[in-house]
Amino acid sequence: MAERIYAREALKNIYPLIDTHTHFDAPVFDTDRRQQVEQAYSQGVCHLVLVGYLYHYFDRMYDTQDSINELSQSSATKANNQDKCNVTAHIALGLHPFYIDQHTDDHVIQLEQMVIERRPLAIGEIGLDTFTDAMKQPGILAKQKRFFAAQLDIAVVHNLPVMLHIRKAHAEALAILKAHKYDAHKLGGIAHSFSGGEQEAKAFVKLGFKLGITGQITNPNAKKLRRAIQVAVESHGIECLVIETDCPDMTPIMCQVSDDTDSHDRNIPANLPWVLASLSELLEIPHDKLAKQLWQNSCDALKVDWAYSV
């Protein structure tokens, strides 16, 4: 209850926000996607990025992008500003390491062809994942590393930022990134849903990546994560952070409920301000200052120049 009261107080003001990582094309949003886009806009979300994980969902992502952008274009003609919904959707294409057994070499070839033909915003999410014992098996891990390097190659060739998925494999991922010609200082990039410790946080930022902060930051018990973010900011400033929902996952703690329905913990883009609010409290930085800097950080990470307007 205390978290809900704090959240309501924290969200009295609306600030322009970029949701740098979503899976908003997921079927769990099929029944109310339009309403969720409108709700997100009412909470300040102006841009959201649909991030890829399996090749056979890439077309679904583009269909979702089209529907969101068509909604925004149609609302732009409305006379009543209260009815407007100016949310722009963007695409990142990538083959997620956790689903490595479903990826084929042909998917890498087809991924690059789509990059050539449709020019996504970024390559992602890509990386390494050894969360389960099965993912740690030598053959599986070797295939993950090969696909990670291949997608970094695509990013370099096509001058695109990457979105990293690194889980329980930070040292291995950092070794690959340090040896690869991908340069996040020049190309941008985000360590999505960062989950490492203090040293890993500083290491990714030193390589040029922004740390993607999710609803996990709203949990006061996530002490390791919260301290890692504080240390990264102490070392590199608030310029090293971006925020994301990773919806439908990573629901902020104050948005979780206790019923037994299938969607009770479904995260939505409209929850992004709670990530801002919790980060503001953790870092003791005013919401308005933090929101504006996070917008600029997101643009820097994605190599875009989106206008910030209050």
Side-chain angles (χ1 to χ4, degrees):
M1 180 62 71
E3 289 86 355
R4 291 177 185 275
I5 294 172
Y6 165 72
R8 284 197 296 269
E9 289 298 311
L11 301 182
K12 284 182 176 179
N13 295 317
I14 304 298
Y15 302 100
L17 300 173
I18 298 170
D19 193 342
T20 61
H21 197 111
T22 80
H23 299 289
F24 195 54
D25 59 301
V28 70
F29 295 111
D30 285 351
T31 59
D32 65 345
R33 187 173 286 108
R34 179 189 180 102
Q35 291 92 330
Q36 291 301 337
V37 173
E38 293 171 344
Q39 186 176 346
Y41 183 65
S42 74
Q43 295 302 313
V45 178
C46 301
H47 296 271
L48 58 85
V49 184
L50 310 175
V51 182
Y53 56 101
L54 282 167
Y55 175 78
H56 62 264
Y57 292 143
F58 288 174
D59 286 338
R60 183 183 79 186
M61 292 168 60
Y62 277 103
D63 289 342
T64 302
Q65 179 194 36
D66 289 344
S67 66
I68 294 170
N69 292 345
E70 286 170 6
L71 171 62
S72 295
Q73 290 167 5
S74 65
S75 72
T77 62
K78 293 181 179 179
N80 187 346
N81 286 330
Q82 291 182 341
D83 291 334
K84 289 188 177 180
C85 180
N86 190 19
V87 177
T88 305
H90 311 270
I91 299 289
L93 296 177
L95 303 172
H96 193 299
F98 192 74
Y99 305 99
I100 195 67
D101 61 330
Q102 299 183 52
H103 304 324
T104 67
D105 290 338
D106 282 345
H107 291 158
V108 177
I109 296 171
Q110 292 162 334
L111 165 62
E112 183 162 24
Q113 190 59 39
M114 289 193 75
V115 169
I116 293 169
E117 293 175 357
R118 308 199 69 168
R119 186 66 184 182
L121 182 67
I123 302 297
E125 53 192 289
I126 66 173
L128 300 177
D129 191 320
T130 61
F131 185 67
T132 67
D133 289 340
M135 303 301 289
K136 297 175 185 176
Q137 296 303 308
I140 294 295
L141 185 55
K143 185 179 178 184
Q144 285 191 52
K145 290 180 177 180
R146 183 165 61 85
F147 273 64
F148 185 20
Q151 292 178 94
L152 287 172
D153 289 343
I154 292 172
V156 170
V157 169
H158 298 283
N159 195 35
L160 289 170
V162 299
M163 294 184 171
L164 301 176
H165 171 99
I166 312 296
R167 187 164 60 159
K168 300 292 184 181
H170 290 89
E172 296 92 333
L174 284 166
I176 290 172
L177 289 165
K178 289 175 181 178
H180 199 278
K181 57 186 175 181
Y182 182 90
D183 185 351
H185 290 289
K186 295 179 180 178
L187 297 178
I190 297 171
H192 143 69
S193 188
F194 180 76
S195 60
E198 297 175 22
Q199 297 308 313
E200 290 92 350
K202 291 192 291 185
F204 279 105
V205 175
K206 187 175 180 180
L207 286 177
F209 291 94
K210 308 297 186 187
L211 305 179
I213 310 303
T214 70
Q216 288 179 310
I217 202 71
T218 67
N219 186 348
N221 293 323
K223 293 184 168 80
K224 175 186 171 184
L225 171 64
R226 291 164 69 88
R227 181 57 188 156
I229 299 309
Q230 288 175 316
V231 168
V233 170
E234 288 168 3
S235 299
H236 299 279
I238 59 174
E239 291 80 9
C240 70
L241 306 177
V242 299
I243 57 174
E244 57 176 272
T245 58
D246 196 22
C247 67
D249 299 320
M250 303 297 180
T251 306
I253 193 168
M254 63 282 293
C255 304
Q256 296 174 14
V257 295
S258 58
D259 63 47
D260 295 324
T261 60
D262 290 340
S263 62
H264 76 281
D265 273 343
R266 180 186 66 164
N267 199 8
I268 56 176
N271 288 340
L272 190 61
W274 279 312
V275 181
L276 170 70
S278 292
L279 196 57
S280 171
E281 181 186 37
L282 177 68
L283 300 176
E284 298 181 343
I285 299 172
H287 294 184
D288 56 345
K289 178 181 178 181
L290 183 59
K292 189 171 184 179
Q293 186 62 57
L294 289 169
W295 182 285
Q296 185 59 53
N297 297 349
S298 301
C299 290
D300 292 344
L302 298 170
K303 296 302 175 186
V304 295
D305 186 21
W306 297 333
Y308 183 89
S309 58
V310 178

